[in-house]
Amino acid sequence: MVTRTFLGIPATAPAGVGHLRGEESFPVAARRALGDAQLRRNLGHATTTIRAKSAGVIAEVPDWQALRAAGSAIKTDVLARLPELLEQLEARVTAAGGVVHWAADANEANAIVVDLVRATGSDRVIKVKSMVTQEIGLNEALEAAGIAPVETDLAELIVQLGEDRPSHILVPAIHRNRAEIREIFLRAMPGVDPGLTDEPVVLAAAARRFLRQTFLSTSVAVSGANFAVAQTGTLAVVESEGNGRMCLTLPQTLITVMGVEKVVPTWRDLEVFLQLLPRASTGERMNPYTSMWTGVTPGDGPQAFHLVLLDNGRSAVLADEVGRQALHCIRCSACLNVCPVYERTGGHAYGSVYPGPIGAVLSPQLTGVADNASLPYASSLCGACYDACPVKINIPELLVHLRDQVPHPRGESAAMAAAAYAMDHPALYAAAQRAARLSRLTGRRGRGLPPPLSGWTASRDLPEAPAETFRQWWAKR
Ligand code: SF4
């Protein structure tokens, strides 16, 4: 049990972190991923393609930097008055015929959704691709309750049928090539043609036939939300395949699970994000499908709408003035596509539903840094993620901030304290420099440090000490 606060109200609840906590450390998982040549080829090809497409459409927007600044400012404002905006959203959704539920953690959210589905009598739900339902492990909770969740996004369907895990926010099956997808479909897709080839158009047609039948015979859908407009109580989902539109309009009951940070104040604010998101994400000028709905409309679309507002650690993130900027994220995945670490390891190495640079800063904060202590180090701090982020999240700053909170070995802490003391005392620092230059440790290039410092030089050379220190050089001149 951990003590959390939900929008300022202290609450004791099970941690319920769902799929946020890595089972093994990043270095261990990354080492295994680096040995998979096929994975690296797939990742390299996919990230290079998305990067180029995105850069092309971003270059068309003359005020892109101003848009980024606006997106960042809107998110800062949202977090500064989150309780007020959520209460406004609740009031508008309720007035429009929807029902709002509040969930402090993954366990509560799953229990709410399971109960809602059970009340409909359905033993199956169709799902729109949603990071937050992966975060809480909703599919597993539904299955445990005897309810079959069917993912309807093509890549999510591939992951689900392959009993696999997503490895990219936007392209969950980025680690699979078409031959592997054909095998998965032949093995697990009900009613598939045994003569299936690995042509993309043939694979897409097979998924389309299977999904069409499922859309028409399922009465409950579960979605996430990209945005919720407090001004009118309107929810928005953007997607590229049209499966989302089917899920959001065909069933009788729609259940939306949304992280509390997804609220925006007004439609004018939404306008900014609807420009930023597609260009940074899929490299499109606008999303092919933008679905918006406000409560229920008699005789049109779902006749029952439930909105589950999820905290699951977000209040704790909000309480950290530096860390809270991770809640600005609009899940575009641009930071993954430019990250040299992600491109080589893929998403599974992060051990969390949120991979890549944003996963390295968000997951440790949602679970507590000690539970994901290796993730803040899954970065070279090159800063490419900061440059790419459409809402200007300073991910390198966050990584350093979180590294400071990771429990360090006592020896390392003592060494750093000694170094800090020496740097604070000029005479001592000069003496230490003289000693270091004389020492064997700083001798020839290529020599490593002895244990326990040998890890630092295992993959880099120890710099050779110069003939004279800067102070000596300066004094001479
Ligand atoms: S951190 Fe920025 S770049 Fe990365 S997914 Fe979130 S919004 Fe996109």
Side-chain angles (χ1 to χ4, degrees), residues 20 32 43 273 440:
L20 286 169
R32 190 173 49 250
L43 283 168
F273 296 111
R440 293 178 66 245

Side-chain angles (χ1 to χ4, degrees), residues 169 329-336 358 385 388-391 393 395:
I169 290 176
C329 178
I330 56 173
R331 311 280 189 265
C332 72
S333 77
C335 56
L336 279 65
I358 184 59
C385 48
C389 179
V391 287
I393 299 174
I395 294 177

Side-chain angles (χ1 to χ4, degrees), residues 220-238:
V220 185
V222 174
S223 82
N226 291 99
F227 307 100
V229 184
Q231 184 182 25
T232 54
T234 303
L235 279 291
V237 164
V238 296

Side-chain angles (χ1 to χ4, degrees), residues 50 61 106 116 133 153 196 358 367 403 407-408 411 438-439 443 446:
I50 301 173
V61 184
L116 289 171
T133 61
D153 172 270
L196 190 74
I358 184 59
T367 60
R403 287 179 188 187
H408 294 279
L438 292 174
S439 144

Side-chain angles (χ1 to χ4, degrees), residues 83-430:
E84 165 199 330
L85 290 172
L86 289 171
E87 281 171 11
Q88 187 184 359
L89 176 69
E90 179 183 32
R92 296 289 185 276
V93 169
T94 307
V99 181
V100 177
H101 310 257
W102 300 77
D105 63 17
N107 296 340
E108 273 190 29
N110 287 335
I112 290 167
V113 177
V114 165
D115 285 348
L116 289 171
V117 178
R118 276 200 179 124
T120 68
S122 178
D123 61 0
R124 184 169 66 188
V125 300
I126 45 177
K127 286 189 69 210
V128 190
K129 177 175 172 300
S130 142
M131 300 300 298
V132 78
T133 61
Q134 288 170 25
E135 174 188 323
I136 61 177
L138 179 62
N139 283 8
E140 289 81 351
L142 288 168
E143 283 164 2
I147 299 161
V150 181
E151 296 289 351
T152 63
D153 172 270
L154 178 55
E156 286 288 354
L157 180 65
I158 292 165
V159 167
Q160 187 180 39
L161 292 177
E163 297 179 8
D164 197 356
R165 286 179 298 133
S167 63
H168 189 279
I169 290 176
L170 177 69
V171 199
I174 197 170
H175 55 292
R176 297 288 194 190
N177 62 25
R178 61 194 203 183
E180 292 173 304
I181 294 167
R182 173 179 172 270
E183 270 176 40
I184 291 169
F185 279 12
L186 283 174
R187 190 174 67 239
M189 183 178 280
V192 75
D193 176 1
L196 190 74
T197 70
D198 65 4
E199 285 301 305
V201 68
V202 175
L203 293 171
R208 188 185 173 90
R209 269 193 300 278
F210 167 69
L211 288 173
R212 188 61 60 134
Q213 182 54 35
T214 312
F215 287 133
L216 293 172
S217 57
T218 310
S219 62
V220 185
V222 174
S223 82
N226 291 99
F227 307 100
V229 184
Q231 184 182 25
T232 54
T234 303
L235 279 291
V237 164
V238 296
E239 37 108 17
S240 301
E241 297 174 12
N243 65 300
R245 179 68 56 81
M246 301 285 251
C247 291
L248 298 166
T249 53
L250 283 176
Q252 279 300 298
T253 301
L254 173 61
I255 303 165
T256 298
V257 184
M258 185 189 104
V260 287
E261 78 280 16
K262 293 296 182 74
V263 65
V264 297
T266 67
W267 281 77
R268 289 194 65 178
D269 302 313
L270 182 64
E271 175 201 329
V272 172
F273 296 111
L274 291 184
Q275 294 176 73
L276 287 169
L277 182 54
R279 289 179 194 261
S281 176
T282 48
E284 291 164 308
R285 295 185 180 93
M286 65 180 290
N287 288 100
Y289 293 88
T290 300
S291 300
M292 298 185 187
W293 69 99
T294 309
V296 294
T297 304
D300 183 13
Q303 295 301 292
F305 170 56
H306 297 269
L307 174 62
V308 182
L309 294 172
L310 176 76
D311 185 320
N312 206 32
R314 287 161 175 77
S315 289
V317 183
L318 188 61
D320 181 334
E321 282 185 16
V322 178
R324 66 166 59 167
Q325 57 180 311
L327 296 178
H328 292 192
C329 178
I330 56 173
R331 311 280 189 265
C332 72
S333 77
C335 56
L336 279 65
N337 299 328
V338 298
C339 177
V341 175
Y342 176 86
E343 187 173 327
R344 282 155 185 83
T345 65
H348 290 164
Y350 293 79
S352 158
V353 67
Y354 300 111
I358 184 59
V361 295
L362 185 59
S363 300
Q365 292 197 84
L366 291 176
T367 60
V369 175
D371 279 336
N372 263 310
S374 64
L375 285 187
Y377 293 92
S379 169
S380 64
L381 298 181
C382 70
C385 48
Y386 184 22
D387 292 340
C389 179
V391 287
K392 296 179 75 169
I393 299 174
N394 191 339
I395 294 177
E397 180 190 38
L398 278 179
L399 288 164
V400 173
H401 176 66
L402 294 175
R403 287 179 188 187
D404 202 33
Q405 297 172 21
V406 169
H408 294 279
R410 210 176 291 165
E412 186 185 326
S413 300
M416 288 299 157
Y421 186 82
M423 287 179 193
D424 215 22
H425 296 79
L428 191 58
Y429 183 68

